[in-house]
Amino acid sequence: IQSFTASQTTFDCSNLGSNSINVTASDASANKTTKKEVVNVQDTIKPNLRYKNIVIYLNSSGSVTITPSDVDDGSNDNCGITSYEVSQSSFDCNNIGTNFIDFSVQDATRNKVTQSVRVTVRDTFAPVIKIKPVTLFLNQYGFAVLSPNDVDDGSVDNCSISNRSLAQSVFTCGNIGTNNVGFSVTDNSGNKASVNVNITVKDTTSPINKVRNPPVYLNQSGFAILSSFDVDNGSSDNCGVSKVTLSKDRFNCVDLGKNVVDFTTYDASGN
């Protein structure tokens, strides 16, 4: 045999699998014999996987979704990649922080490469504050306590609220009236929202009267004056007595004997 020839000698990715070719043998006298042969083309080269670690951000609903293209950084294969996959594509509040997922690429002949990829999930949405105005009433000791739950009216966060706080929680007689108080809400990622809320402080507690029945002596002119200090025996109020009145404080000979006098105390709130 002088020579062998084939109908096809070059193969590429388009010839993967079984290929039928003609092989011809020739002798010196130009006698030829041709036979069909099967050439099986295989690709055993794995894809060249290239990846990137990524940072993703939760949306207002507390979730985020990725695709393989988000972590792919130009992976390639001698015959082309047919499949890109990630082991996890959906993330929520439970995934905040560092997560490791598998990123895989595969070619047409099932050559596959897998790589661990770091996906960092972050929440940058601040809570949405909802508040309500509050009216506080001082107790018998002249103070009232406000809690964050008193002013919160259903504040929400895409993940969860970890802390509610007030700039001021204890109110006394010096706070009677309207007070502008800061209210803050913080989530688990440290995102914080703040707003001012009106806190109205009122004193509705009346003074407590303590009196004594003093004698009044007319002077040589038949006249006497009664002072509130003569009657008061330690009256008190949670915020202090601001005014004392007597229904009658002047007496003369006509008033000899017992007289009923009204002793009235007022505080600054008009109680």
Side-chain angles (χ1 to χ4, degrees):
I1 296 175
Q2 188 177 32
S3 66
F4 289 94
T5 59
S7 60
Q8 182 178 352
T9 58
T10 301
F11 300 84
D12 58 25
C13 297
S14 63
N15 304 117
L16 288 172
S18 297
N19 300 266
S20 180
I21 66 171
N22 293 321
V23 178
T24 303
S26 303
D27 61 15
S29 300
N31 297 306
K32 296 180 179 180
T33 299
T34 299
K35 186 178 180 182
K36 286 186 179 294
E37 296 290 342
V38 176
V39 177
N40 189 23
V41 179
Q42 296 183 350
D43 171 25
T44 59
I45 298 176
K46 292 183 178 182
N48 174 29
L49 185 151
R50 300 181 67 181
Y51 72 96
K52 56 188 175 184
N53 299 314
I54 60 172
V55 177
I56 57 178
Y57 298 87
L58 297 177
N59 60 23
S60 59
S61 300
S63 63
V64 61
T65 301
I66 66 169
T67 64
S69 62
D70 293 321
V71 296
D72 183 59
D73 197 29
S75 300
N76 55 77
D77 183 74
N78 59 335
C79 284
I81 296 173
T82 58
S83 173
Y84 298 81
E85 295 179 349
V86 287
S87 60
Q88 181 178 352
S89 60
S90 296
F91 300 83
D92 58 26
C93 300
N94 294 320
N95 304 116
I96 290 175
T98 302
N99 304 265
F100 288 95
I101 65 170
D102 290 334
F103 171 50
S104 302
V105 293
Q106 182 174 286
D107 64 18
T109 50
R110 297 181 180 276
N111 296 306
K112 186 176 182 179
V113 181
T114 300
Q115 171 67 46
S116 181
V117 177
R118 184 175 69 247
V119 178
T120 302
V121 179
R122 293 179 180 171
D123 170 28
T124 56
F125 273 87
V128 177
I129 292 184
K130 294 183 179 180
I131 58 171
K132 56 189 174 186
V134 176
T135 298
L136 294 178
F137 296 90
L138 300 178
N139 61 18
Q140 59 182 333
Y141 303 107
F143 72 89
V145 177
L146 179 71
S147 76
N149 290 333
D150 293 330
V151 301
D152 190 83
D153 196 29
S155 300
V156 295
D157 185 69
N158 60 337
C159 286
S160 61
I161 293 172
S162 61
N163 184 57
R164 295 172 173 82
S165 62
L166 289 163
Q168 181 179 353
S169 59
V170 177
F171 298 82
T172 64
C173 300
N175 303 116
I176 290 175
T178 301
N179 301 265
N180 229 355
V181 178
F183 174 57
S184 299
V185 177
T186 307
D187 66 16
N188 287 321
S189 296
N191 300 304
K192 184 177 182 180
S194 299
V195 70
N196 287 330
V197 59
N198 287 330
I199 307 299
T200 303
V201 178
K202 293 184 177 181
D203 171 27
T204 57
T205 302
S206 296
I208 298 174
N209 287 343
K210 289 185 179 181
V211 298
R212 53 177 172 255
N213 298 314
V216 176
Y217 299 94
L218 300 177
N219 60 20
Q220 60 184 359
S221 301
F223 181 76
I225 296 177
L226 179 67
S227 167
S228 60
F229 295 104
D230 298 326
V231 180
D232 188 24
N233 195 29
S235 300
S236 62
D237 182 74
N238 60 341
C239 287
V241 175
S242 62
K243 179 182 177 183
V244 178
T245 64
L246 295 170
S247 61
K248 183 176 182 179
D249 62 355
R250 286 170 170 75
F251 301 87
N252 55 39
C253 298
V254 177
D255 301 304
L256 288 172
K258 291 183 178 181
N259 297 264
V260 177
V261 177
D262 291 334
F263 173 74
T264 307
T265 55
Y266 302 86
D267 62 19
S269 297
N271 299 305

